[in-house]
Amino acid sequence: SQQGEEDPQALSIQEGENATMNCSYKTSINNLQWYRQNSGRGLVHLILIRSNEREKHSGRLRVTLDTSKKSSSLLITASRAADTASYFCATPYSGGGADGLTFGKGTHLIIQP
Amino acid sequence: ETGVTQSPTHLIKTRGQQVTLRCSSQSGHNTVSWYQQALGQGPQFIFQYYREEENGRGNFPPRFSGLQFPNYSSELNVNALELDDSALYLCASSLRARNTDTQYFGPGTRLTVL
């Protein structure tokens, strides 16, 4: 089963605009990560935010985490065509003893020139 | 720093056959995780290997098995292939000693079962 669910499923914006995508999860976590995937290839780690953090920045990325609402958001500012990709939130796998990740279905972001 | 590599890139098998997928970890990493990603879905955790032993497993049947070798490379074996096994299989490596959940993914192997 998938722990995280991203919203919206798809997002299309103009180059230069900001893109915001959201993630909700079900169980308590100690961290949450965001990954990017281009055209069905491998995932690239973007940012990790720990449960005791509320906001984190990395370049044009801003991530927030609200543990009381079990939700996170990823903001990409000043979007570029190269940002076109699928974005996934990931939380630690909730099964016992494993250090794997649980992913949502992702948000497919299209940046139009 | 050498990234995660996977082989082969693409593979076509028929139902009932067996397949072996391979993964080389990023240099210095000691943990390997495998994921299955169906079209339009997020990756699903299959299992993880640490120090050559299975360290945890997702909701996958026993016909999905794996190995980790002393050089930390890994194999994913799937027996009695079914049509629903068609997917992108992703390998990810990490360094468990740092107590970090960040994983570094390979480009994946696209498996098609006919």
Side-chain angles (χ1 to χ4, degrees):
Chain A
S1 62
Q2 292 179 307
Q3 155 90 299
E5 292 294 337
E6 292 87 350
D7 172 66
Q9 291 187 356
L11 179 61
S12 179
I13 61 173
Q14 295 294 124
E15 194 168 18
E17 294 181 337
N18 296 341
T20 299
M21 53 206 86
N22 304 294
C23 167
S24 60
Y25 57 92
K26 298 174 184 175
T27 63
S28 296
I29 58 173
N30 55 22
N31 68 74
L32 183 143
Q33 303 179 60
W34 286 89
Y35 286 81
R36 183 186 75 221
Q37 184 177 39
N38 291 85
S39 301
R41 302 292 287 171
L43 280 74
V44 174
H45 177 257
L46 296 176
I47 196 165
L48 179 151
I49 185 166
R50 301 207 179 274
S51 58
N52 61 353
E53 298 174 305
R54 290 297 170 257
E55 186 171 310
K56 197 165 183 179
H57 295 254
S58 177
R60 295 184 296 112
L61 305 180
R62 187 188 78 154
V63 170
T64 63
L65 180 64
D66 186 335
T67 54
S68 66
K69 295 181 179 179
K70 292 185 169 60
S71 66
S72 174
S73 68
L74 171 66
L75 168 68
I76 303 174
T77 60
S79 63
R80 305 168 182 170
D83 295 328
T84 294
S86 291
Y87 292 81
F88 296 90
C89 67
T91 54
Y93 182 72
S94 57
D99 292 331
L101 297 174
T102 300
F103 291 85
K105 292 184 178 181
T107 291
H108 184 49
L109 176 64
I110 297 174
I111 309 298
Q112 298 186 11
Chain B
E1 197 172 65
T2 305
V4 179
T5 60
Q6 292 185 243
S7 63
T9 305
H10 295 87
L11 201 53
I12 299 175
K13 291 285 189 178
T14 56
R15 192 171 49 184
Q17 286 188 314
Q18 178 265 343
V19 68
T20 297
L21 310 181
R22 295 178 174 82
C23 170
S24 291
S25 301
Q26 183 165 312
S27 178
H29 286 180
N30 56 16
T31 302
V32 175
S33 303
W34 285 92
Y35 296 84
Q36 179 195 67
Q37 186 178 22
L39 199 62
Q41 302 293 314
Q44 298 270 335
F45 175 62
I46 302 175
F47 44 56
Q48 183 179 82
Y49 277 80
Y50 172 64
R51 291 184 175 178
E52 301 177 51
E53 292 189 359
E54 188 176 293
N55 183 49
R57 189 178 188 95
N59 189 27
F60 280 81
R63 59 188 186 85
F64 285 79
S65 63
L67 286 173
Q68 185 183 32
F69 300 99
N71 65 355
Y72 304 122
S73 65
S74 177
E75 286 182 356
L76 165 65
N77 299 289
V78 186
N79 294 322
L81 284 168
E82 300 177 0
L83 297 180
D84 286 347
D85 295 334
S86 294
L88 181 68
Y89 288 85
L90 296 162
C91 161
S93 73
S94 56
L95 182 57
R96 193 173 185 187
R98 289 185 183 169
N99 193 30
T100 174
D101 294 310
T102 299
Q103 300 193 359
Y104 297 84
F105 284 79
T109 293
R110 175 75 62 185
L111 173 65
T112 301
V113 182
L114 302 176

